[in-house]
Amino acid sequence: MQDFNKINQEILTFVKDRDWEKFHSPKNLSMALTVEASELLEIFQWQKENDFLDSKINDVIIKDTKDEVADIFYYLLRICQKMDINLEEAFWDKMKKNKIKYPVDDFKGKSTKY
Ligand SMILES: [Mg+2]
């Protein structure tokens, strides 16, 4: 996946240029990822359920959401770099497990936990 490699390389260069490698332990990166996920949640904080119907999502909300999902993606990839995890492979392996854990016949239309 060439774009993925390009993104990974961009992150490595970004970190190296700023000499941030020394700060990027899996623990610190995991904490940063959680902060970014909270920033995503903050966009929707205090909104009523109906405030986020498709017709009410405006350009500012979309712009802010794009920024936060990009931050989350950055830290996710950075954790994978540090721990030598192939994210694409990890995704497909986990989807296999999820399909076993949540069979369609038992979970279709249900939000209950396994
Ligand atoms: Mg952010």
Side-chain angles (χ1 to χ4, degrees):
M1 192 188 242
Q2 193 176 359
D3 284 347
F4 211 67
N5 290 337
K6 192 175 168 187
I7 291 167
N8 265 311
Q9 193 54 55
E10 177 72 10
I11 292 171
L12 289 171
T13 302
F14 183 84
V15 171
K16 186 172 181 277
D17 288 349
R18 287 157 184 78
D19 192 23
W20 286 352
E21 180 71 37
K22 58 191 169 199
F23 305 120
H24 285 183
S25 66
K27 177 187 75 73
N28 286 352
L29 293 166
S30 297
M31 288 171 25
L33 175 65
T34 301
V35 169
E36 296 304 338
S38 295
E39 288 178 2
L40 174 64
L41 180 59
E42 192 177 28
I43 296 167
F44 306 102
Q45 188 180 24
W46 306 122
Q47 299 297 324
K48 294 176 188 144
E49 209 164 307
N50 284 344
D51 287 348
F52 283 92
L53 296 173
D54 286 349
S55 60
K56 294 191 175 181
I57 292 181
N58 61 41
D59 289 346
V60 174
I61 291 168
I62 290 170
K63 182 207 146 301
D64 290 347
T65 300
K66 280 171 72 176
D67 283 347
E68 299 314 330
V69 295
D71 287 341
I72 291 166
F73 188 57
Y74 167 90
Y75 282 117
L76 185 61
L77 287 179
R78 192 70 189 117
I79 291 167
C80 290
Q81 288 173 349
K82 292 295 292 183
M83 300 183 73
D84 200 22
I85 291 169
N86 179 322
L87 181 57
E88 193 174 0
E89 188 182 289
F91 169 80
W92 290 116
D93 287 349
K94 189 63 166 100
M95 286 306 291
K96 265 187 223 164
K97 291 178 192 171
N98 287 342
K99 286 177 183 175
I100 292 167
K101 198 182 215 176
Y102 300 102
V104 174
D105 288 345
D106 295 335
F107 288 92
K108 189 167 186 172
K110 296 177 186 170
S111 62
T112 51
K113 206 162 160 57
Y114 55 88

